[in-house]
Every structure is written in structure tokens, then in C-alpha cells.
Amino acid sequence: MSSFLSNSVLLAVYGAALAVGLGLIGLAIVSLLRSFTPGSQASTSGSGRRLNRGLTYSLGLGAAVLGAVGLLALLVFRLSPAVSLLWASGAGLVAGALAEIILVYLPSRRQREEASLAIDADGREARVVIAIPASGLGEVAYQDGAETIHLGAR
């Protein structure tokens, strides 16, 4: 009876983790789709309180993987509750961490590098690659040693 009770509790926990994870993934996707809708761009006020899409998706993916691996371990592979908990926790942490690195860390690092490139370009002589319209975006290029750097310009 105790084994059935512990399996039932774990099944409920894994099911809830899977549902919460899929809900967070859904919220991140809806937020992304809404950002493409004209007139529904996020306002600057109060945006600090919300999680960004990448973090929401990462948390959701980690929770969904935890729930799915836990359910598979208990129901399909018939592992013991302790072993299924270890596998589910490990898989959820790895999936969430990888998603965090790919969706949050690497893009923010690239933005920092692009900002430093733009600062490095100040005061340099550049050539226009794509003409810059009055209210649009063009492209300029300059030499940095042996490397040609292309940047957007307004």
C-alpha cells in the first residue's frame, strides 16, 4: 500500500510539473506571437516585473521534461520512485539549463558584443554599403585591422 501511495503521489507531481511546464511554454509562445502583432508591443513601464520569453520558455521546458521523464520512468520503464525522481530531476535540470544558455545567455552576450562594436566604430572612417534613407536603416563597413566590420546605420 505504501508503494502504491508513493507512486500515486509521484505520478501527481510529475503530471503537475508537465502541465505547468507546458503552460509556461505556451505563455512564452503566445507572448512571442503577440510581439509580432502591430500595436501590441510591450510597454516600457512595468516590464521589469515580467519574466522574459527566453527565461519563461527555459523554466517551462525544464518542468515539462521533468514531468515527462518522471512519468515515463514510472509508467513505462517501471523504475523505483527514487530512481525515477533522480532521472526526472537530472533531465529537467539539464534541459532547463541548456535552454537558458541558448535562449538567454548567448543572445545577451551577442548584444553586449554588438554594443561594444558600435562603440569601437565611433570616430572611424567608414564606407556606405547600403544607402541610408532619411527614415530608414542602411549599412556601413569599416576596416578593423585585417577584418571588415559591417554595421547597420541610421
Side-chain angles (χ1 to χ4, degrees):
M1 185 69 174
S2 174
S3 174
F4 175 73
L5 185 60
S6 67
N7 279 349
S8 299
V9 169
L10 272 178
L11 286 174
V13 168
Y14 292 148
L18 181 61
V20 166
L22 292 175
L24 286 172
I25 291 170
L27 284 174
I29 291 172
V30 167
S31 172
L32 177 66
L33 292 175
R34 288 190 68 213
S35 72
F36 292 117
T37 305
S40 68
Q41 307 302 328
S43 65
T44 56
S45 63
S47 62
R49 286 185 235 144
R50 286 196 229 152
L51 295 175
N52 70 24
R53 278 183 222 109
L55 183 59
T56 303
Y57 187 82
S58 300
L59 289 172
L61 184 65
V65 167
L66 182 142
V69 169
L71 288 173
L72 283 173
L74 276 180
L75 297 175
V76 175
F77 298 115
R78 305 274 185 211
L79 297 177
S80 70
V83 174
S84 73
L85 187 61
L86 286 174
W87 273 101
S89 299
L93 284 172
V94 167
L98 284 175
E100 179 77 19
I101 289 168
I102 292 169
L103 297 174
V104 176
Y105 176 72
L106 292 179
S108 68
R109 183 174 166 208
R110 185 175 60 232
Q111 288 171 351
R112 285 193 304 265
E113 288 172 357
E114 287 174 0
S116 73
L117 263 179
I119 291 170
D120 291 344
D122 287 347
R124 292 189 184 246
E125 187 174 318
R127 64 182 167 81
V128 176
V129 177
I130 298 173
I132 305 167
S135 64
L137 184 65
E139 182 178 341
V140 295
Y142 69 92
Q143 286 296 120
D144 186 25
E147 184 179 6
T148 301
I149 307 292
H150 293 268
L151 294 173
R154 292 186 189 268

PDB file of all heavy atoms in Angstrom, residues 36 40 42 45 62 78 82 84 94 105 108 110 114 121 130 132 135 150:
ATOM      1  N   PHE A  36       4.576  40.217 -32.487  1.00  0.00           N
ATOM      2  CA  PHE A  36       4.545  40.485 -33.925  1.00  0.00           C
ATOM      3  C   PHE A  36       3.275  41.213 -34.349  1.00  0.00           C
ATOM      4  O   PHE A  36       3.180  41.650 -35.483  1.00  0.00           O
ATOM      5  CB  PHE A  36       4.661  39.184 -34.729  1.00  0.00           C
ATOM      6  CG  PHE A  36       6.007  38.544 -34.607  1.00  0.00           C
ATOM      7  CD1 PHE A  36       6.137  37.298 -34.035  1.00  0.00           C
ATOM      8  CD2 PHE A  36       7.142  39.186 -35.047  1.00  0.00           C
ATOM      9  CE1 PHE A  36       7.376  36.695 -33.910  1.00  0.00           C
ATOM     10  CE2 PHE A  36       8.393  38.601 -34.929  1.00  0.00           C
ATOM     11  CZ  PHE A  36       8.500  37.347 -34.366  1.00  0.00           C
ATOM     12  N   SER A  40       0.634  45.998 -30.332  1.00  0.00           N
ATOM     13  CA  SER A  40       0.613  45.288 -29.046  1.00  0.00           C
ATOM     14  C   SER A  40       2.020  45.088 -28.514  1.00  0.00           C
ATOM     15  O   SER A  40       2.288  44.119 -27.833  1.00  0.00           O
ATOM     16  CB  SER A  40      -0.088  43.941 -29.188  1.00  0.00           C
ATOM     17  OG  SER A  40       0.693  43.081 -29.992  1.00  0.00           O
ATOM     18  N   ALA A  42       5.173  45.517 -26.114  1.00  0.00           N
ATOM     19  CA  ALA A  42       5.228  45.672 -24.655  1.00  0.00           C
ATOM     20  C   ALA A  42       5.606  47.102 -24.297  1.00  0.00           C
ATOM     21  O   ALA A  42       6.464  47.702 -24.916  1.00  0.00           O
ATOM     22  CB  ALA A  42       6.249  44.699 -24.070  1.00  0.00           C
ATOM     23  N   SER A  45       6.882  50.643 -19.197  1.00  0.00           N
ATOM     24  CA  SER A  45       6.544  50.701 -17.775  1.00  0.00           C
ATOM     25  C   SER A  45       6.090  49.334 -17.292  1.00  0.00           C
ATOM     26  O   SER A  45       5.268  48.686 -17.909  1.00  0.00           O
ATOM     27  CB  SER A  45       5.424  51.711 -17.544  1.00  0.00           C
ATOM     28  OG  SER A  45       4.269  51.305 -18.218  1.00  0.00           O
ATOM     29  N   GLY A  62      12.225  22.937 -18.730  1.00  0.00           N
ATOM     30  CA  GLY A  62      12.767  22.134 -17.640  1.00  0.00           C
ATOM     31  C   GLY A  62      11.677  21.400 -16.869  1.00  0.00           C
ATOM     32  O   GLY A  62      11.804  20.212 -16.566  1.00  0.00           O
ATOM     33  N   ARG A  78       9.060   1.247 -15.431  1.00  0.00           N
ATOM     34  CA  ARG A  78       8.800   0.644 -14.123  1.00  0.00           C
ATOM     35  C   ARG A  78       9.995   0.768 -13.166  1.00  0.00           C
ATOM     36  O   ARG A  78      10.354  -0.171 -12.472  1.00  0.00           O
ATOM     37  CB  ARG A  78       8.421  -0.824 -14.261  1.00  0.00           C
ATOM     38  CG  ARG A  78       7.267  -1.100 -15.162  1.00  0.00           C
ATOM     39  CD  ARG A  78       6.001  -0.969 -14.419  1.00  0.00           C
ATOM     40  NE  ARG A  78       4.879  -1.369 -15.274  1.00  0.00           N
ATOM     41  CZ  ARG A  78       3.701  -0.861 -15.184  1.00  0.00           C
ATOM     42  NH1 ARG A  78       3.461   0.031 -14.267  1.00  0.00           N
ATOM     43  NH2 ARG A  78       2.734  -1.244 -15.973  1.00  0.00           N
ATOM     44  N   ALA A  82      12.511   6.343  -6.244  1.00  0.00           N
ATOM     45  CA  ALA A  82      13.740   7.110  -6.007  1.00  0.00           C
ATOM     46  C   ALA A  82      14.535   7.286  -7.294  1.00  0.00           C
ATOM     47  O   ALA A  82      15.028   8.376  -7.605  1.00  0.00           O
ATOM     48  CB  ALA A  82      14.588   6.422  -4.946  1.00  0.00           C
ATOM     49  N   SER A  84      13.381   7.059 -10.398  1.00  0.00           N
ATOM     50  CA  SER A  84      12.631   7.900 -11.342  1.00  0.00           C
ATOM     51  C   SER A  84      12.756   9.378 -10.971  1.00  0.00           C
ATOM     52  O   SER A  84      12.860  10.235 -11.844  1.00  0.00           O
ATOM     53  CB  SER A  84      11.157   7.489 -11.391  1.00  0.00           C
ATOM     54  OG  SER A  84      10.473   7.893 -10.223  1.00  0.00           O
ATOM     55  N   VAL A  94      19.016  19.564 -16.740  1.00  0.00           N
ATOM     56  CA  VAL A  94      19.861  19.675 -17.936  1.00  0.00           C
ATOM     57  C   VAL A  94      19.106  20.388 -19.055  1.00  0.00           C
ATOM     58  O   VAL A  94      19.641  21.305 -19.695  1.00  0.00           O
ATOM     59  CB  VAL A  94      20.352  18.276 -18.388  1.00  0.00           C
ATOM     60  CG1 VAL A  94      20.949  18.324 -19.779  1.00  0.00           C
ATOM     61  CG2 VAL A  94      21.362  17.735 -17.399  1.00  0.00           C
ATOM     62  N   TYR A 105      21.414  33.438 -22.258  1.00  0.00           N
ATOM     63  CA  TYR A 105      22.807  33.842 -22.086  1.00  0.00           C
ATOM     64  C   TYR A 105      23.478  34.224 -23.410  1.00  0.00           C
ATOM     65  O   TYR A 105      24.065  35.293 -23.526  1.00  0.00           O
ATOM     66  CB  TYR A 105      23.603  32.739 -21.390  1.00  0.00           C
ATOM     67  CG  TYR A 105      25.068  33.068 -21.267  1.00  0.00           C
ATOM     68  CD1 TYR A 105      25.500  34.040 -20.380  1.00  0.00           C
ATOM     69  CD2 TYR A 105      26.009  32.437 -22.062  1.00  0.00           C
ATOM     70  CE1 TYR A 105      26.836  34.368 -20.276  1.00  0.00           C
ATOM     71  CE2 TYR A 105      27.343  32.752 -21.970  1.00  0.00           C
ATOM     72  CZ  TYR A 105      27.750  33.720 -21.079  1.00  0.00           C
ATOM     73  OH  TYR A 105      29.077  34.039 -20.988  1.00  0.00           O
ATOM     74  N   SER A 108      22.166  37.563 -25.056  1.00  0.00           N
ATOM     75  CA  SER A 108      22.552  38.763 -24.319  1.00  0.00           C
ATOM     76  C   SER A 108      24.045  39.017 -24.467  1.00  0.00           C
ATOM     77  O   SER A 108      24.484  40.154 -24.517  1.00  0.00           O
ATOM     78  CB  SER A 108      22.159  38.659 -22.847  1.00  0.00           C
ATOM     79  OG  SER A 108      22.925  37.667 -22.198  1.00  0.00           O
ATOM     80  N   ARG A 110      25.775  38.283 -27.196  1.00  0.00           N
ATOM     81  CA  ARG A 110      25.929  38.840 -28.542  1.00  0.00           C
ATOM     82  C   ARG A 110      25.524  40.309 -28.565  1.00  0.00           C
ATOM     83  O   ARG A 110      26.165  41.126 -29.217  1.00  0.00           O
ATOM     84  CB  ARG A 110      25.095  38.035 -29.537  1.00  0.00           C
ATOM     85  CG  ARG A 110      25.314  38.479 -30.972  1.00  0.00           C
ATOM     86  CD  ARG A 110      24.598  37.613 -31.976  1.00  0.00           C
ATOM     87  NE  ARG A 110      23.166  37.615 -31.749  1.00  0.00           N
ATOM     88  CZ  ARG A 110      22.431  36.525 -31.621  1.00  0.00           C
ATOM     89  NH1 ARG A 110      22.966  35.340 -31.702  1.00  0.00           N
ATOM     90  NH2 ARG A 110      21.135  36.616 -31.424  1.00  0.00           N
ATOM     91  N   GLU A 114      27.826  43.368 -29.746  1.00  0.00           N
ATOM     92  CA  GLU A 114      27.414  44.314 -30.778  1.00  0.00           C
ATOM     93  C   GLU A 114      27.475  45.745 -30.260  1.00  0.00           C
ATOM     94  O   GLU A 114      27.859  46.649 -30.984  1.00  0.00           O
ATOM     95  CB  GLU A 114      26.004  43.985 -31.273  1.00  0.00           C
ATOM     96  CG  GLU A 114      25.953  42.743 -32.142  1.00  0.00           C
ATOM     97  CD  GLU A 114      24.542  42.332 -32.509  1.00  0.00           C
ATOM     98  OE1 GLU A 114      23.584  43.025 -32.086  1.00  0.00           O
ATOM     99  OE2 GLU A 114      24.386  41.323 -33.193  1.00  0.00           O
ATOM    100  N   ALA A 121      33.289  51.598 -33.232  1.00  0.00           N
ATOM    101  CA  ALA A 121      33.166  52.205 -34.555  1.00  0.00           C
ATOM    102  C   ALA A 121      33.120  53.728 -34.482  1.00  0.00           C
ATOM    103  O   ALA A 121      33.315  54.395 -35.495  1.00  0.00           O
ATOM    104  CB  ALA A 121      31.907  51.689 -35.246  1.00  0.00           C
ATOM    105  N   ILE A 130      25.095  50.035 -48.076  1.00  0.00           N
ATOM    106  CA  ILE A 130      23.699  50.194 -48.488  1.00  0.00           C
ATOM    107  C   ILE A 130      23.305  51.621 -48.129  1.00  0.00           C
ATOM    108  O   ILE A 130      23.483  52.047 -46.986  1.00  0.00           O
ATOM    109  CB  ILE A 130      22.772  49.192 -47.777  1.00  0.00           C
ATOM    110  CG1 ILE A 130      23.164  47.758 -48.143  1.00  0.00           C
ATOM    111  CG2 ILE A 130      21.314  49.446 -48.130  1.00  0.00           C
ATOM    112  CD1 ILE A 130      22.406  46.690 -47.365  1.00  0.00           C
ATOM    113  N   ILE A 132      21.648  54.965 -46.966  1.00  0.00           N
ATOM    114  CA  ILE A 132      20.866  55.201 -45.751  1.00  0.00           C
ATOM    115  C   ILE A 132      19.739  56.170 -46.083  1.00  0.00           C
ATOM    116  O   ILE A 132      19.976  57.361 -46.278  1.00  0.00           O
ATOM    117  CB  ILE A 132      21.756  55.779 -44.634  1.00  0.00           C
ATOM    118  CG1 ILE A 132      22.957  54.862 -44.401  1.00  0.00           C
ATOM    119  CG2 ILE A 132      20.955  55.973 -43.361  1.00  0.00           C
ATOM    120  CD1 ILE A 132      24.045  55.466 -43.565  1.00  0.00           C
ATOM    121  N   SER A 135      14.507  58.033 -43.347  1.00  0.00           N
ATOM    122  CA  SER A 135      13.869  57.465 -42.148  1.00  0.00           C
ATOM    123  C   SER A 135      14.027  55.948 -42.122  1.00  0.00           C
ATOM    124  O   SER A 135      13.115  55.232 -41.734  1.00  0.00           O
ATOM    125  CB  SER A 135      12.386  57.837 -42.127  1.00  0.00           C
ATOM    126  OG  SER A 135      11.755  57.248 -43.242  1.00  0.00           O
ATOM    127  N   HIS A 150      30.853  45.096 -40.644  1.00  0.00           N
ATOM    128  CA  HIS A 150      29.635  45.664 -41.237  1.00  0.00           C
ATOM    129  C   HIS A 150      28.677  45.986 -40.103  1.00  0.00           C
ATOM    130  O   HIS A 150      28.412  45.144 -39.248  1.00  0.00           O
ATOM    131  CB  HIS A 150      28.978  44.659 -42.187  1.00  0.00           C
ATOM    132  CG  HIS A 150      29.784  44.383 -43.402  1.00  0.00           C
ATOM    133  ND1 HIS A 150      29.621  45.082 -44.571  1.00  0.00           N
ATOM    134  CD2 HIS A 150      30.781  43.489 -43.632  1.00  0.00           C
ATOM    135  CE1 HIS A 150      30.472  44.641 -45.469  1.00  0.00           C
ATOM    136  NE2 HIS A 150      31.203  43.662 -44.933  1.00  0.00           N
TER     137      HIS A 150
END
